[in-house]
Amino acid sequence: MREGKQEFAEWLASRKLRVTGERMAVLDEVMRANGHIDIDYLQEQFRKQKRPVSRATIYRTLSHLVQSGLVQKVLTGEGQARYEKMYGRQHHDHMICLGCGEIIEFTNDEIERLQDWVCHKKRFTIVTHTLQIKGFCEKCSAQKASVEGGATDHRRHGRN
Ligand SMILES: [Zn+2]
Ligand SMILES: [Zn+2]
C-alpha cells in the first residue's frame, strides 16, 4: 500500500470528505515525487499516464494534503506554490533563492529551540511553524557581485 494512504483516507473521513480515486492519485504522485514540485508537474504526470485529473481537483487535493500534515507547502520568491511530501520525514526549514528559484533545506536545533522559547514566553502553544529565508544562493550571489551595477541581472541557471 502506498505511503500515507491510510492516514489520508482517515483524514478525509474525519472531514466528511469522500475517498475518491482522483484524490488518492494526487496523494500517490506527491509521495512518489522527489523534491519540491508544483501543480504543473502533477498535471504533466497525469497527462503522461493518460489519466486526466483537473487542475481544480489537484489544487483542492493538495490543500487537503497540506491541512492533513502529509504534505508541506513552500512558496518560492515569486510566490509560486511548491509542494513536498512530509509523511515519514523530519521537520525542516527552507532557504529560497530569489535569483534561480533553488530551494535549500536545512535544520538547526538552536533555531528550533529559540522559537519554542519565544513562544513559551508569550504563553503561545505551537502547533506548527514554517520558516523560509529568502535571498540569493552562492551561485547567484557570485553572479550579482560580478555584474555589479547591472543590478537585477540574475540569470537563471536551472531549478533544483
Ligand atoms: Zn523549523
Ligand atoms: Zn523541503
mmCIF file with all atom_site columns, all heavy atoms in Angstrom, residues 36 84 92 94 105, ligand 2:
data_model
loop_
_atom_site.group_PDB
_atom_site.id
_atom_site.type_symbol
_atom_site.label_atom_id
_atom_site.label_alt_id
_atom_site.label_comp_id
_atom_site.label_asym_id
_atom_site.label_entity_id
_atom_site.label_seq_id
_atom_site.pdbx_PDB_ins_code
_atom_site.Cartn_x
_atom_site.Cartn_y
_atom_site.Cartn_z
_atom_site.occupancy
_atom_site.B_iso_or_equiv
_atom_site.pdbx_formal_charge
_atom_site.auth_seq_id
_atom_site.auth_comp_id
_atom_site.auth_asym_id
_atom_site.auth_atom_id
_atom_site.pdbx_PDB_model_num
ATOM   1  N  N   . HIS A 1 36  ? 10.671 19.492 -4.478 1.00 0.00 ? 36  HIS A N   1
ATOM   2  C  CA  . HIS A 1 36  ? 9.589  20.455 -4.304 1.00 0.00 ? 36  HIS A CA  1
ATOM   3  C  C   . HIS A 1 36  ? 8.881  20.649 -5.635 1.00 0.00 ? 36  HIS A C   1
ATOM   4  O  O   . HIS A 1 36  ? 9.401  21.313 -6.515 1.00 0.00 ? 36  HIS A O   1
ATOM   5  C  CB  . HIS A 1 36  ? 10.176 21.763 -3.775 1.00 0.00 ? 36  HIS A CB  1
ATOM   6  C  CG  . HIS A 1 36  ? 11.021 21.557 -2.546 1.00 0.00 ? 36  HIS A CG  1
ATOM   7  N  ND1 . HIS A 1 36  ? 12.337 21.194 -2.612 1.00 0.00 ? 36  HIS A ND1 1
ATOM   8  C  CD2 . HIS A 1 36  ? 10.717 21.628 -1.233 1.00 0.00 ? 36  HIS A CD2 1
ATOM   9  C  CE1 . HIS A 1 36  ? 12.813 21.053 -1.380 1.00 0.00 ? 36  HIS A CE1 1
ATOM   10 N  NE2 . HIS A 1 36  ? 11.854 21.313 -0.531 1.00 0.00 ? 36  HIS A NE2 1
ATOM   11 N  N   . GLU A 1 84  ? 5.874  19.400 -1.139 1.00 0.00 ? 84  GLU A N   1
ATOM   12 C  CA  . GLU A 1 84  ? 6.785  18.287 -0.894 1.00 0.00 ? 84  GLU A CA  1
ATOM   13 C  C   . GLU A 1 84  ? 6.161  17.368 0.135  1.00 0.00 ? 84  GLU A C   1
ATOM   14 O  O   . GLU A 1 84  ? 5.395  17.799 0.989  1.00 0.00 ? 84  GLU A O   1
ATOM   15 C  CB  . GLU A 1 84  ? 8.131  18.792 -0.377 1.00 0.00 ? 84  GLU A CB  1
ATOM   16 C  CG  . GLU A 1 84  ? 8.035  19.438 0.994  1.00 0.00 ? 84  GLU A CG  1
ATOM   17 C  CD  . GLU A 1 84  ? 9.378  19.861 1.543  1.00 0.00 ? 84  GLU A CD  1
ATOM   18 O  OE1 . GLU A 1 84  ? 10.390 19.304 1.139  1.00 0.00 ? 84  GLU A OE1 1
ATOM   19 O  OE2 . GLU A 1 84  ? 9.382  20.770 2.399  1.00 0.00 ? 84  GLU A OE2 1
ATOM   20 N  N   . HIS A 1 92  ? 11.815 20.298 8.632  1.00 0.00 ? 92  HIS A N   1
ATOM   21 C  CA  . HIS A 1 92  ? 12.973 21.069 8.176  1.00 0.00 ? 92  HIS A CA  1
ATOM   22 C  C   . HIS A 1 92  ? 12.481 22.425 7.676  1.00 0.00 ? 92  HIS A C   1
ATOM   23 O  O   . HIS A 1 92  ? 11.300 22.617 7.422  1.00 0.00 ? 92  HIS A O   1
ATOM   24 C  CB  . HIS A 1 92  ? 13.734 20.330 7.069  1.00 0.00 ? 92  HIS A CB  1
ATOM   25 C  CG  . HIS A 1 92  ? 12.906 20.068 5.850  1.00 0.00 ? 92  HIS A CG  1
ATOM   26 N  ND1 . HIS A 1 92  ? 12.217 18.902 5.651  1.00 0.00 ? 92  HIS A ND1 1
ATOM   27 C  CD2 . HIS A 1 92  ? 12.646 20.836 4.769  1.00 0.00 ? 92  HIS A CD2 1
ATOM   28 C  CE1 . HIS A 1 92  ? 11.566 18.958 4.510  1.00 0.00 ? 92  HIS A CE1 1
ATOM   29 N  NE2 . HIS A 1 92  ? 11.808 20.134 3.937  1.00 0.00 ? 92  HIS A NE2 1
ATOM   30 N  N   . HIS A 1 94  ? 13.440 26.112 5.128  1.00 0.00 ? 94  HIS A N   1
ATOM   31 C  CA  . HIS A 1 94  ? 13.927 26.349 3.759  1.00 0.00 ? 94  HIS A CA  1
ATOM   32 C  C   . HIS A 1 94  ? 14.610 27.698 3.563  1.00 0.00 ? 94  HIS A C   1
ATOM   33 O  O   . HIS A 1 94  ? 14.201 28.692 4.151  1.00 0.00 ? 94  HIS A O   1
ATOM   34 C  CB  . HIS A 1 94  ? 12.756 26.284 2.776  1.00 0.00 ? 94  HIS A CB  1
ATOM   35 C  CG  . HIS A 1 94  ? 12.121 24.939 2.696  1.00 0.00 ? 94  HIS A CG  1
ATOM   36 N  ND1 . HIS A 1 94  ? 10.966 24.632 3.363  1.00 0.00 ? 94  HIS A ND1 1
ATOM   37 C  CD2 . HIS A 1 94  ? 12.485 23.817 2.035  1.00 0.00 ? 94  HIS A CD2 1
ATOM   38 C  CE1 . HIS A 1 94  ? 10.642 23.372 3.109  1.00 0.00 ? 94  HIS A CE1 1
ATOM   39 N  NE2 . HIS A 1 94  ? 11.552 22.849 2.312  1.00 0.00 ? 94  HIS A NE2 1
ATOM   40 N  N   . GLU A 1 105 ? 17.122 22.978 1.762  1.00 0.00 ? 105 GLU A N   1
ATOM   41 C  CA  . GLU A 1 105 ? 16.549 22.541 3.029  1.00 0.00 ? 105 GLU A CA  1
ATOM   42 C  C   . GLU A 1 105 ? 17.596 22.620 4.127  1.00 0.00 ? 105 GLU A C   1
ATOM   43 O  O   . GLU A 1 105 ? 18.769 22.364 3.885  1.00 0.00 ? 105 GLU A O   1
ATOM   44 C  CB  . GLU A 1 105 ? 16.060 21.092 2.903  1.00 0.00 ? 105 GLU A CB  1
ATOM   45 C  CG  . GLU A 1 105 ? 14.980 20.953 1.858  1.00 0.00 ? 105 GLU A CG  1
ATOM   46 C  CD  . GLU A 1 105 ? 14.347 19.572 1.849  1.00 0.00 ? 105 GLU A CD  1
ATOM   47 O  OE1 . GLU A 1 105 ? 14.936 18.637 2.414  1.00 0.00 ? 105 GLU A OE1 1
ATOM   48 O  OE2 . GLU A 1 105 ? 13.252 19.459 1.272  1.00 0.00 ? 105 GLU A OE2 1
HETATM 49 ZN ZN  . ZN  B 2 .   ? 11.715 20.883 1.753  1.00 0.00 ? 2   ZN  B ZN  1
#
